[in-house]
Amino acid sequence: MHPSLLNRNVRETQYAVRGELYLKAEELRQKGMEIIFTNVGNPHALGQVPITYNRQVLALCAAPFLLDHPEVTKMFPSDAISRAKELLSYNKGGIGAYSDSRGAAGVRKEVARYIEKRDGLPANTVNENTIFLTDGASVAVRMGLNSLIRDENDGILVPIPQYPLYSASIKLYGGSLIPYELDESKGWGMNVETIRKACADAKAKGILPRGLVFINPGNPTGQCFSKDNLKELARFASEEQVVLMADEVYQENIFQDERPFVSMRQVLHELGEPLNSKVELLSFHTVSKGALGECGLRGGYVDMHNIHPGAVEEVYKTASINLSPNVLGQMAMGLMVNPPAPGSPSYDGYMKEKNDVLASMRRRAHIMTDAFNSLEGVTCNFTEGAMYSFPQLHLPKKAIEAAKSAGKSPDVFYCLKLLEATGISVVPGSGFGQAAGTFHLRTTILPMEDVMKEKFVPLLTDFHKKFMDTYRD
């Protein structure tokens, strides 16, 4: 299996989050250097603690013999015990058995009720049979893209900057990426006229737009879209007959009060007919973000709204190739969408742990943004949501020339120097796409507050000063 004999799309696929910088960081780590991995949104790896109740329930699901232990009521709260029994009842054989290829029906029903409650929808209007549980939201996204893309003449509208899951998957499935730029000068705002022009330009080249991706809150840009923005998108999707792909995995991670998270499903409901029953929508969510941060459990879902039943059946068929999404991840999803009820033994502790995580993230969003904006030649929009800051680096000409001499793009050059000097592992902006002539980097805001204040910010500040002194024009 020589590289030259592989599928061309496999060879041409790139994924910057685990690219050159990450590989270099791993090399340095193996040589004994302490690395602060802020290249990927992986909260527990940077010190976030799991939510106690969720892990108690999952422990019982993973070791159901504990439910028969004479001391079980002393080891676990009563609501964790009853919840574990409920989740285990959804899948005969427990976590060691395959579930339905869409995921266990009981968990899918809980997801449906969660969506109804979140979005103010009438009871029993969300169909659990159009919800697919997946091994993280990424699998759900790829499922959608793989179904939409027929050949290179099918295009997917994707925001720039974007999360490279989209560019990589579109390349892998042989489609065409249609970029539409977000406006950094307006807080990474989205302009529907920009999308309209990108759509027209693609059509002029013989590329048919099939889907439109938007990430709310944004990755890597951290912006939150207003309800008016989302209504414009819905109308555009209806006009152009494109499938909306709503990446809403960071919906709990909101760090300002002016623009709370609003789902596209809620927006369609509020717009009413004919849009609510016309606009095709794939909505994605996960247990990997929010207050849970359970990346390793790989629990996600896609909610298919207004998708033709025949198309849903075809997706079900392809999902069946993998037999079953992992069952422990499904149970984690159930715990996310159906947490302890008020008045239950675990409720107060659960809410305190959850709120403490989100409050700390809000503080870290300010710490990170303020740190970048204090640096010479760096500007950074506030991280309104998600888990990332995406500052622009206004690099001196000498630095750009040095990067060229080293055979690197300027943002890669800067990030490599940062990594080698400090152990801070970030991702160059070029991996996400950026306006011509601009340079950025993406970092998570996930290091714990003490690490951020005592290590990350001082290391970053000291490095940047020395870098600018070295390459100042």
Side-chain angles (χ1 to χ4, degrees), residues 353-390:
E353 290 179 31
K354 177 179 176 179
N355 290 334
D356 284 351
V357 168
L358 295 176
S360 174
M361 282 190 184
R362 182 177 283 226
R363 292 191 294 271
R364 283 177 272 167
H366 282 278
I367 294 168
M368 188 68 80
T369 306
D370 290 347
F372 280 117
N373 283 322
S374 72
L375 302 178
E376 178 187 357
V378 178
T379 55
C380 186
N381 283 309
F382 176 61
T383 301
E384 297 177 347
M387 294 180 171
Y388 314 98
S389 291
F390 197 65

Side-chain angles (χ1 to χ4, degrees), residues 94-107:
I95 69 167
Y98 291 134
S99 73
D100 184 277
S101 298
R102 294 167 297 187
V107 178

Side-chain angles (χ1 to χ4, degrees), residues 95-131:
I95 69 167
Y98 291 134
S99 73
D100 184 277
S101 298
R102 294 167 297 187
V107 178
R108 287 187 281 115
K109 287 177 183 177
E110 292 191 0
V111 172
R113 303 295 83 80
Y114 159 81
I115 293 170
E116 291 165 357
K117 181 178 179 181
R118 181 196 66 189
D119 297 339
L121 307 180
N124 300 312
T125 55
V126 178
N127 182 358
E128 67 268 16
N129 291 323
T130 58
I131 292 169

